[in-house]
Coordinates of all heavy atoms in Angstrom, one line a residue:
V1 N 0.9 -1.2 0.0 CA 0.0 0.0 -0.1 C 0.8 1.3 0.0 O 0.5 2.2 -0.6 CB -0.9 0.0 1.3 CG1 -1.6 1.4 1.4 CG2 -2.0 -1.1 1.1
S2 N 2.0 1.2 0.7 CA 3.0 2.4 0.8 C 3.6 2.7 -0.6 O 3.6 3.8 -1.0 CB 4.0 2.2 1.8 OG 3.4 1.9 3.1
L3 N 3.8 1.6 -1.2 CA 4.4 1.6 -2.6 C 3.4 2.3 -3.6 O 3.8 3.2 -4.4 CB 4.8 0.3 -3.2 CG 5.3 0.2 -4.5 CD1 6.6 1.0 -4.7 CD2 5.6 -1.3 -5.0
I4 N 2.2 1.9 -3.5 CA 1.1 2.4 -4.3 C 0.9 3.8 -4.0 O 0.7 4.6 -4.9 CB -0.1 1.6 -4.0 CG1 0.0 0.2 -4.7 CG2 -1.3 2.1 -4.9 CD1 -1.0 -0.8 -4.2
A5 N 0.8 4.2 -2.8 CA 0.6 5.6 -2.3 C 1.8 6.4 -2.8 O 1.6 7.6 -3.3 CB 0.3 5.7 -0.8
A6 N 3.0 6.0 -2.6 CA 4.2 6.7 -3.2 C 4.1 6.9 -4.7 O 4.5 7.9 -5.2 CB 5.4 5.9 -2.7
A7 N 3.6 6.0 -5.5 CA 3.7 6.0 -6.8 C 2.5 7.1 -7.3 O 2.8 8.0 -8.1 CB 3.1 4.7 -7.6
A8 N 1.4 7.2 -6.5 CA 0.5 8.1 -6.8 C 0.9 9.5 -6.5 O 0.7 10.6 -7.1 CB -0.9 7.9 -6.0
T9 N 1.7 9.6 -5.4 CA 2.3 10.9 -4.9 C 3.2 11.5 -5.9 O 3.3 12.6 -6.2 CB 2.8 10.8 -3.5 OG1 1.8 10.3 -2.6 CG2 3.3 12.2 -3.1
A10 N 4.0 10.6 -6.4 CA 5.1 11.0 -7.4 C 4.5 11.5 -8.6 O 4.9 12.4 -9.3 CB 5.9 9.7 -7.7
M11 N 3.3 10.8 -9.1 CA 2.6 11.3 -10.3 C 2.1 12.6 -10.0 O 2.1 13.5 -10.9 CB 1.6 10.3 -10.7 CG 2.1 8.8 -11.2 SD 2.7 9.0 -13.0 CE 1.1 9.3 -13.8
G12 N 1.5 12.7 -8.8 CA 0.9 14.0 -8.5 C 1.8 15.2 -8.5 O 1.6 16.3 -8.9
A13 N 3.0 15.0 -8.0 CA 4.1 16.0 -7.9 C 4.4 16.6 -9.3 O 4.8 17.7 -9.5 CB 5.4 15.5 -7.3
G14 N 4.3 15.7 -10.4 CA 4.6 16.2 -11.7 C 3.4 16.7 -12.4 O 3.6 17.2 -13.7
T15 N 2.2 16.6 -12.0 CA 1.0 16.8 -12.8 C 0.1 18.0 -12.1 O -0.5 18.7 -12.8 CB 0.2 15.7 -13.1 OG1 -0.2 15.0 -11.9 CG2 1.0 14.6 -13.9
I16 N 0.1 18.0 -10.8 CA -1.0 18.7 -10.1 C -0.9 20.2 -10.4 O -1.9 20.9 -10.6 CB -1.0 18.4 -8.6 CG1 -1.8 17.2 -8.4 CG2 -1.5 19.6 -7.8 CD1 -1.8 16.7 -7.0
D17 N 0.3 20.7 -10.4 CA 0.6 22.1 -10.6 C 1.0 22.5 -12.1 O 1.5 23.6 -12.3 CB 1.6 22.7 -9.7 CG 2.9 22.0 -9.8 OD1 3.1 21.0 -10.4 OD2 4.0 22.5 -9.2
A18 N 0.9 21.4 -12.8 CA 1.3 21.7 -14.3 C 0.2 22.4 -15.2 O 0.3 22.7 -16.4 CB 1.6 20.3 -14.9
S19 N -1.1 22.5 -14.6 CA -2.1 23.2 -15.4 C -2.9 24.2 -14.5 O -2.9 24.0 -13.3 CB -3.0 22.0 -16.0 OG -3.7 21.4 -15.0
S20 N -3.5 25.1 -15.2 CA -4.3 26.1 -14.4 C -5.7 25.4 -14.1 O -6.0 24.3 -14.5 CB -4.5 27.3 -15.2 OG -5.2 26.9 -16.5
G21 N -6.4 26.2 -13.2 CA -7.6 25.6 -12.8 C -8.7 25.5 -13.9 O -8.7 26.4 -14.8
V22 N -9.5 24.4 -14.0 CA -10.4 24.2 -14.9 C -11.7 24.9 -14.4 O -11.9 25.3 -13.3 CB -10.7 22.7 -15.2 CG1 -9.4 22.0 -15.7 CG2 -11.2 22.0 -14.0
F23 N -12.7 24.8 -15.4 CA -14.0 25.6 -15.1 C -14.7 25.2 -13.8 O -15.1 25.9 -12.9 CB -14.9 25.5 -16.3 CG -16.3 26.1 -16.1 CD1 -16.4 27.6 -16.2 CD2 -17.5 25.4 -15.9 CE1 -17.7 28.2 -16.0 CE2 -18.6 26.0 -15.7 CZ -18.7 27.4 -15.7
D24 N -14.7 23.8 -13.7 CA -15.4 23.2 -12.5 C -14.8 23.5 -11.2 O -15.4 23.9 -10.2 CB -15.5 21.6 -12.6 CG -16.4 21.2 -13.7 OD1 -17.2 22.0 -14.3 OD2 -16.5 20.0 -14.0
E25 N -13.4 23.5 -11.2 CA -12.6 23.8 -10.0 C -12.9 25.3 -9.6 O -13.0 25.6 -8.4 CB -11.2 23.6 -10.2 CG -10.8 22.1 -10.4 CD -9.3 22.0 -10.7 OE1 -8.9 22.7 -11.5 OE2 -8.7 21.1 -10.1
S26 N -13.2 26.1 -10.5 CA -13.3 27.5 -10.1 C -14.8 27.7 -9.4 O -14.9 28.4 -8.4 CB -13.4 28.4 -11.4 OG -12.1 28.6 -12.0
I27 N -15.7 27.0 -9.9 CA -17.1 27.0 -9.3 C -17.0 26.2 -7.9 O -17.5 26.7 -6.9 CB -18.0 26.2 -10.1 CG1 -18.3 26.9 -11.4 CG2 -19.4 25.9 -9.3 CD1 -19.3 26.2 -12.3
Y28 N -16.2 25.1 -7.8 CA -16.1 24.5 -6.5 C -15.4 25.3 -5.5 O -15.8 25.2 -4.3 CB -15.4 23.1 -6.7 CG -16.0 22.1 -7.7 CD1 -15.4 21.1 -8.3 CD2 -17.4 22.2 -7.9 CE1 -16.1 20.2 -9.1 CE2 -18.1 21.4 -8.8 CZ -17.3 20.3 -9.4 OH -18.1 19.5 -10.2
L29 N -14.4 26.0 -5.9 CA -13.6 27.0 -5.0 C -14.5 27.9 -4.4 O -14.5 28.2 -3.2 CB -12.4 27.6 -5.6 CG -11.7 28.5 -4.8 CD1 -11.2 27.8 -3.5 CD2 -10.5 29.1 -5.6
R30 N -15.4 28.5 -5.3 CA -16.3 29.5 -4.7 C -17.4 28.9 -3.8 O -17.6 29.4 -2.8 CB -17.0 30.1 -6.0 CG -18.2 31.1 -5.6 CD -18.8 31.8 -6.8 NE -19.5 30.9 -7.6 CZ -20.7 30.5 -7.4 NH1 -21.4 30.9 -6.3 NH2 -21.4 29.7 -8.2
L31 N -17.9 27.8 -4.2 CA -18.7 27.0 -3.3 C -18.2 26.6 -2.0 O -18.9 26.8 -0.9 CB -19.4 25.8 -3.9 CG -20.3 25.9 -5.1 CD1 -20.6 24.7 -5.8 CD2 -21.5 26.8 -4.7

């Protein structure tokens, strides 16, 4: 489970801040 979580975290480190917020995220942030 730790290996799987680490793989997910590593993928997230390279993708999460690579794009700007999408339309849905702007609505959800306001809500």
Side-chain angles (χ1 to χ4, degrees):
V1 169
S2 300
L3 175 63
I4 294 164
T9 303
M11 289 287 288
T15 59
I16 281 180
D17 59 353
S19 62
S20 57
V22 300
F23 179 74
D24 287 355
E25 290 176 315
S26 299
I27 294 175
Y28 298 157
L29 178 59
R30 179 175 63 81
L31 291 175

